[in-house]
Amino acid sequence: MDKIDKARINNAEKFARKAHSGQTRKGSGVPFIVHPYKVANTVQILGGSIAQIQAALLHDTVEDAGVTLDEIENTFTKEVRDIVAALSEDKSLPTWQDRKLDYYEKISAPENEAAVLVSLADKMDNLNDTYYEWCVKGEEVFEKFNAPKEKQSWFYRVLIRDVYFRVLQYNGSYKGKGHHTIPDLTHIMAQQLSAMEM
């Protein structure tokens, strides 16, 4: 990675840190910015592009921090904007189910394939957090969500089966820099869901 690429990532990190200033993760008190840092790290380890790493850092700024997609495009690139747009839930939709179906449709669209790796890293980190909290708190952990765990399970499993496994497993660009492969990661997610009886 050259100096220009490092600067592009640093700019996205600074932008995300400012946007999420003062925010914490739901139910934990952990600074929100920790989540996009972990997502971006996973994307980088799995061989994502600079735009994907930037989008990983920025992926919640529109949905949770009031940033606009125009701001993303004007500050970064249209490619980064398009990835963030695919990852952002439409808060104008009336129900949790509507928002998740819209997300699924966007992330499944062929033109949004660049967003799939970032989505995997995002949902994997969300599920990891839920799983480790469940190990400590048990079923109480599900009280912080806007939908029962049966619906949470449906959303994770449909993404794993229909998007992550199908799209990424056959994409030679994502070999990973460690020993994990996409099927390994989706299998771990499925095991966590099963352990929580989801």
Side-chain angles (χ1 to χ4, degrees):
M1 186 183 298
D2 62 26
K3 289 183 179 179
I4 294 175
D5 287 343
K6 287 180 181 178
R8 291 167 65 193
I9 292 172
N10 286 340
N11 286 341
E13 184 271 330
K14 290 175 184 175
F15 188 100
R17 185 155 31 92
K18 181 178 179 181
H20 292 300
S21 177
Q23 294 183 329
T24 57
R25 289 281 275 170
K26 185 184 293 186
S28 72
V30 173
F32 194 97
I33 193 63
V34 172
H35 169 63
Y37 283 170
K38 290 193 291 181
V39 174
N41 185 58
T42 299
V43 169
Q44 184 170 0
I45 288 170
L46 291 173
S49 68
I50 298 302
Q52 286 172 312
I53 297 169
Q54 287 179 296
L57 287 162
L58 301 165
H59 76 275
D60 277 327
T61 57
V62 172
E63 184 177 324
D64 293 320
V67 174
T68 68
L69 289 170
D70 285 343
E71 286 179 84
I72 298 291
E73 183 170 352
N74 291 337
T75 307
F76 302 98
T77 64
K78 184 179 184 303
E79 182 180 9
V80 173
R81 176 203 185 280
D82 289 345
I83 296 172
V84 173
L87 297 165
S88 299
E89 288 190 5
D90 184 350
K91 292 293 184 73
S92 71
L93 294 173
T95 69
W96 182 93
Q97 188 88 6
D98 290 334
R99 292 191 293 274
K100 300 307 179 185
L101 285 170
D102 179 70
Y103 181 98
Y104 171 77
E105 289 174 4
K106 287 190 297 185
I107 210 71
S108 301
E111 64 269 23
N112 288 327
E113 185 173 323
V116 175
L117 183 67
V118 187
S119 177
L120 168 65
D122 174 31
K123 301 310 178 194
M124 187 171 70
D125 187 58
N126 287 343
L127 185 58
N128 276 337
D129 284 352
T130 300
Y131 176 71
Y132 289 119
E133 281 190 67
W134 175 82
C135 289
V136 175
K137 300 178 181 178
E139 296 298 298
E140 178 187 334
V141 71
F142 298 107
E143 294 176 6
K144 68 180 181 179
F145 295 116
N146 297 322
K149 76 174 189 177
E150 293 78 15
K151 288 191 174 183
Q152 299 282 342
S153 174
W154 161 79
F155 185 53
Y156 278 116
R157 289 187 182 279
V158 76
L159 288 174
I160 291 169
R161 183 189 68 233
D162 295 349
V163 183
Y164 305 149
F165 197 74
R166 178 178 56 81
V167 175
L168 296 177
Q169 145 174 248
Y170 298 109
N171 192 325
S173 300
Y174 305 123
K175 300 291 187 183
K177 296 177 183 176
H179 299 293
H180 290 304
T181 64
I182 298 301
D184 288 336
L185 297 175
T186 55
H187 180 64
I188 291 168
M189 292 176 74
Q191 285 184 316
Q192 289 175 325
L193 289 168
S194 294
M196 293 185 286
E197 299 183 345
M198 293 176 73

